[in-house]
Amino acid sequence: MPSQYSVDIPFAASHHQQAFKLIELPPELLALLESDNPPTLNITSSSPSPTTPAYALLNAGTKTYQMRQKNTSNPIMLLKPSSTTPTETDDPTTFIPQPSLCSIAKIEDTIELILQEPETAEKVPPKVNKWHEKFAKSRMEKKK
């Protein structure tokens, strides 16, 4: 019978989860930010119109990106290294801490950046028939 080596790593989740948002950077923006002279980033709001709502814009030098939140079905967990501490039954003088991991945040959505052309920056079509909007609407109707 073959034997397997097992290494257990204790895992814990912090009661105080931190709030994080991840931004998917387009390659050209990443290259600009890693350059010797990176641009200053500013977040502003677009002008709402009768047909389109206001949305967030990320300005990076001469380029403008529309910011959209995307949900993911696979949440990302941010972990930090930690170590075990003695329990009431452990002798603190002989206790040897064991490396462990602690979850400090769970990220369920990311921010997508969409490059806006100068002439279309104010003419972005509204989101239409997104599945998550339909799902949320149907769930609200069921609760009534």
Side-chain angles (χ1 to χ4, degrees):
M1 176 189 237
S3 64
Q4 280 186 320
Y5 293 103
S6 174
V7 177
D8 294 335
I9 300 174
F11 177 79
S14 172
H15 291 287
H16 303 287
Q17 295 284 300
Q18 298 179 26
F20 285 94
K21 293 283 185 189
L22 296 180
I23 298 177
E24 294 180 21
L25 296 178
E28 65 274 4
L29 179 57
L30 179 60
L32 276 173
L33 293 174
E34 291 178 334
S35 69
D36 292 336
N37 191 14
T40 301
L41 301 179
N42 295 311
I43 297 177
T44 59
S45 178
S46 69
S47 309
S49 73
T51 58
T52 59
Y55 47 86
L57 297 173
L58 177 72
N59 300 306
T62 60
K63 299 195 180 213
T64 301
Y65 298 87
Q66 180 183 354
M67 301 174 73
R68 288 189 184 171
Q69 181 171 300
K70 291 183 358 180
N71 297 334
T72 177
S73 61
N74 298 320
I76 299 167
M77 295 175 69
L78 293 182
L79 307 174
K80 78 174 190 175
S82 59
S83 62
T84 57
T85 56
T87 63
E88 293 176 4
T89 60
D90 292 324
D91 180 7
T93 58
T94 60
F95 180 79
I96 300 172
Q98 180 181 5
S100 63
L101 292 172
C102 181
S103 168
I104 60 168
K106 183 170 78 170
I107 300 168
E108 296 177 331
D109 44 47
T110 59
I111 304 297
E112 174 184 41
L113 299 179
I114 301 165
L115 180 62
Q116 300 295 291
E117 299 300 327
E119 65 275 0
T120 62
E122 293 299 322
K123 296 181 181 181
V124 174
K127 296 189 294 183
V128 178
N129 297 329
K130 296 289 184 179
W131 73 268
H132 59 277
E133 292 172 353
K134 287 182 178 180
F135 178 73
K137 184 178 179 182
S138 68
R139 289 187 76 187
M140 292 303 291
E141 290 172 357
K142 287 180 183 178
K143 288 183 179 179
K144 290 180 181 180

